[in-house]
Amino acid sequence: MHAHTCILDGEMCAWSDTEKRFIPFGSNRTVATEELEIGQPTRWLMYVVFDILYLSGGDAEEVLNRHVTNTNLSQHSTGPAPGTLITLPLKVRKSIMTELIQEKPHRVEFVHSRTVTSTDAIVRRQQLMDYFDQVVNAGEEGLVIKDLLSTYSLGEKSRSKMAWVKMKPEYSDMTANLDLILLGGYYGEGTRRAGDISHFLLGVKEPHREFELPSKYFTFTKVGSG
């Protein structure tokens, strides 16, 4: 497929090839400088593609017609005109996106995703929670749950329609109140936060008698300004 113009939705991240993982946010500028100054850097910028919003030129019309026809969309029976794609369902945009873009490992990649297809509510919830645990244990921020039939909406509009829902560990409603104590801090990374404390280590104290100082503290979580 050939196209003259496309607009993508994505995020520029920093990748560490020695650690085989993404580098925490705030390091992009430092990593970009290293790429320019070091002949064979071990860290570089990587673009993660989320969505495609616009497509025109070349074979765009043919591709759009084919993908819409294969999806049996009654409102676009003859296929949409090249241009904005935001009114198409997410599953159609993802299909077009994967045909348009050729991935290059750790340079340009599609965002990792899984599709929950079960109609059983209990099974769907368990599949979602299993995947959520995996991404959190891998050090990622969380998930964005998206309806495959949803159109593209900006900001609060997507959340108000409940078509896209962000799921992060700190959004859990399992607790109402929890008293923690500050145990330590972490210095920031990258040029913007280097040298300053950007995250704090929190913990709880072991059970003890009233008016007596606890003898042990247990680390519990880490929080930051983000």
Side-chain angles (χ1 to χ4, degrees), residues 24-62:
F25 288 110
S27 302
N28 284 15
R29 181 172 296 182
T30 301
V31 172
T33 301
E34 290 178 1
E35 282 197 82
L36 293 174
E37 296 178 349
I38 301 176
Q40 294 182 323
T42 59
R43 309 193 305 178
W44 54 74
L45 295 182
M46 168 182 169
Y47 187 61
V48 180
V49 186
F50 300 157
D51 209 331
I52 182 168
L53 313 183
Y54 182 94
L55 179 66
S56 67
D59 304 326
E61 185 171 2
E62 175 189 339

Side-chain angles (χ1 to χ4, degrees), residues 208-213:
H208 63 285
R209 294 180 180 178
E210 191 174 5
F211 305 118
E212 287 186 2
L213 293 176

Side-chain angles (χ1 to χ4, degrees), residues 19-95:
E19 300 178 46
K20 303 300 180 184
R21 67 175 182 87
F22 290 110
I23 302 170
F25 288 110
S27 302
N28 284 15
R29 181 172 296 182
T30 301
V31 172
T33 301
E34 290 178 1
E35 282 197 82
L36 293 174
E37 296 178 349
I38 301 176
Q40 294 182 323
T42 59
R43 309 193 305 178
W44 54 74
L45 295 182
M46 168 182 169
Y47 187 61
V48 180
V49 186
F50 300 157
D51 209 331
I52 182 168
L53 313 183
Y54 182 94
L55 179 66
S56 67
D59 304 326
E61 185 171 2
E62 175 189 339
V63 171
L64 290 173
N65 289 339
R66 184 172 67 254
H67 283 272
V68 168
T69 301
N70 291 342
T71 317
N72 296 319
L73 296 179
S74 58
Q75 67 269 37
H76 293 297
S77 58
T78 59
T84 181
L85 308 182
I86 61 176
T87 60
L88 293 176
L90 174 61
K91 64 179 182 180
V92 178
R93 301 197 307 272
K94 287 174 68 71
S95 179

Side-chain angles (χ1 to χ4, degrees), residues 14 99 111 117 216:
E99 180 177 344
V111 63
T117 58
K216 290 183 181 179

